[in-house]
Amino acid sequence: MSKPSNIEVTNTEPESVDTGKNMKLILARAKDQRNFCPVRDVIHRISDKWSLLSILALGTYGTLRFNALKKEIGDVSQRMLTVTLRNLEEDGFVSRKIYAEVPPRVEYQLTEMGEGLMQQALRLADWANTQLPGIISSRENFKKN
Amino acid sequence: MSKPSNIEVTNTEPESVDTGKNMKLILARAKDQRNFCPVRDVIHRISDKWSLLSILALGTYGTLRFNALKKEIGDVSQRMLTVTLRNLEEDGFVSRKIYAEVPPRVEYQLTEMGEGLMQQALRLADWANTQLPGIISSRENFKKN
DNA sequence: CAGTATCCCTACCGATACTG
DNA sequence: CAGTATCGGTAGGGATACTG
């Protein structure tokens, strides 16, 4: 649990699925790390209601103050934006700079790791978009049965 | 909402982040689709507690019966495995074949789309693993302040 | 401006018991 | 074997009010 000494998951070939014994290793590790799995961890972080939108907004504008970000996202509550940003900051995806002024000014921006996360999200978005028609028709088909 | 006529997100270059006006389009669409966004949809599907593990198990073994899958995952409740599999089936990631026998036999396996989803997950896993040290140290640093 | 603090509501999830 | 049905606990999230 200390350090991930050897990474079994190294899908450099996006077209092919790892098969056979390698998959068993991956599965075994996934089960092992049930309570501390980096994948689930990252997914959990971006799967809440506002993280992705916050990351996308920061990626778009570079730097945003709290209320500018809030206005940009639109319908997020003040509380939830604070919680979201603190979590992202804690994990190192977002940096937070406080300027000692009155009234206070706080600026948020993506860290390098945060930009990496956004790229992962965009990738997933790309794939999801291509799959969308299939998902929708599958759902409609499911309803009928 | 009917069909995604033009896909703006086409990150074929994994090394670079889309910048400028393209990002604004992406952000605008993400906000627009707040209540029906394919990305959030897919993320939401795989972000629950058991979907990823189920997909990984099915990807590993190819075909599994309900109780075999349950045993493989280990600590999932019967109810939650049923719910998880139904959701995955509804979206077209998992197929479910019922054999008219007594006692009943039901076999689950990944669809083609499900294998695609697993590949996306493995990709994300790969990235997450490389980022893990950074995330951990960021968290520890955060605690101190 | 950029937050906390409080309350409350809902969705997810687990345990247990029952069934075709 | 492969599920439902029911209940109850917990975490995510929103509304509102207050503050350095």
Side-chain angles (χ1 to χ4, degrees):
Chain A
M1 182 153 297
S2 50
K3 57 184 169 74
S5 49
N6 37 8
I7 309 294
E8 292 90 354
V9 186
T10 40
N11 246 34
T12 48
E13 304 295 307
E15 297 80 12
S16 70
V17 181
D18 283 345
T19 48
K21 61 177 197 258
N22 198 16
M23 279 304 300
K24 305 236 177 183
L25 274 176
I26 295 172
L27 176 61
R29 202 178 61 162
K31 291 201 298 174
D32 240 37
Q33 298 179 330
R34 186 150 312 135
N35 295 315
F36 187 72
C37 172
V39 199
R40 303 181 82 165
D41 230 51
V42 169
I43 289 178
H44 187 255
R45 171 66 38 251
I46 63 176
S47 72
D48 61 35
K49 202 170 176 183
W50 303 111
S51 289
L52 260 186
L53 223 41
S54 302
I55 287 170
L56 220 46
L58 289 174
T60 302
Y61 291 97
T63 300
L64 284 174
R65 298 179 62 168
F66 184 86
N67 276 328
L69 183 52
K70 184 173 184 310
K71 194 176 173 186
E72 184 58 39
I73 294 180
D75 54 356
V76 63
S77 67
Q78 200 167 20
R79 180 181 121 78
M80 285 320 296
L81 184 56
T82 302
V83 170
T84 301
L85 289 171
R86 285 299 183 287
N87 287 334
L88 290 173
E89 188 197 357
E90 176 170 7
D91 282 8
F93 296 119
V94 160
S95 74
R96 176 167 173 262
K97 269 180 226 157
I98 309 167
Y99 296 85
E101 301 172 5
V102 189
R105 179 161 58 106
V106 179
E107 288 184 349
Y108 292 91
Q109 61 179 35
L110 292 182
T111 61
E112 204 171 321
M113 202 164 71
E115 300 219 349
L117 181 56
M118 186 176 73
Q119 285 181 8
Q120 300 300 317
L122 288 175
R123 242 187 217 283
L124 196 57
D126 196 17
W127 180 83
N129 274 321
T130 67
Q131 304 303 312
L132 187 58
I135 294 175
I136 290 176
S137 73
S138 176
R139 281 184 192 169
E140 283 170 2
N141 212 287
F142 187 83
K143 254 186 286 187
K144 290 172 190 164
N145 307 339
Chain B
M1 182 154 296
S2 51
K3 58 185 169 73
S5 49
N6 38 8
I7 309 294
E8 293 91 354
V9 187
T10 40
N11 244 35
T12 48
E13 304 295 308
E15 296 80 14
S16 70
V17 182
D18 283 345
T19 49
K21 61 179 196 258
N22 197 16
M23 279 304 300
K24 304 234 177 185
L25 276 175
I26 295 173
L27 176 59
R29 201 177 62 161
K31 291 201 299 173
D32 241 35
Q33 297 178 330
R34 184 150 315 134
N35 296 315
F36 188 72
C37 173
V39 200
R40 303 180 84 167
D41 230 52
V42 168
I43 289 178
H44 188 254
R45 171 66 39 251
I46 64 176
S47 72
D48 62 33
K49 201 169 177 184
W50 303 111
S51 289
L52 259 185
L53 224 39
S54 302
I55 287 170
L56 219 47
L58 289 174
T60 302
Y61 291 97
T63 300
L64 284 174
R65 299 178 61 168
F66 184 86
N67 276 328
L69 183 51
K70 183 173 185 311
K71 194 175 172 186
E72 184 56 39
I73 293 179
D75 54 357
V76 64
S77 70
Q78 200 167 19
R79 180 180 124 76
M80 286 319 296
L81 185 56
T82 302
V83 171
T84 301
L85 289 171
R86 285 298 182 287
N87 287 335
L88 290 173
E89 188 197 357
E90 177 171 6
D91 283 8
F93 296 119
V94 160
S95 74
R96 176 166 172 262
K97 269 180 226 156
I98 308 168
Y99 296 85
E101 303 173 3
V102 189
R105 181 160 57 106
V106 179
E107 287 184 350
Y108 292 91
Q109 60 178 35
L110 291 183
T111 61
E112 205 172 320
M113 203 164 71
E115 299 218 351
L117 180 57
M118 186 175 74
Q119 285 180 8
Q120 300 300 317
L122 288 176
R123 244 188 216 283
L124 195 57
D126 196 18
W127 180 81
N129 274 321
T130 67
Q131 304 303 314
L132 187 57
I135 295 176
I136 290 176
S137 74
S138 176
R139 283 185 190 167
E140 282 171 2
N141 212 285
F142 187 83
K143 252 185 287 186
K144 290 173 191 165
N145 307 340

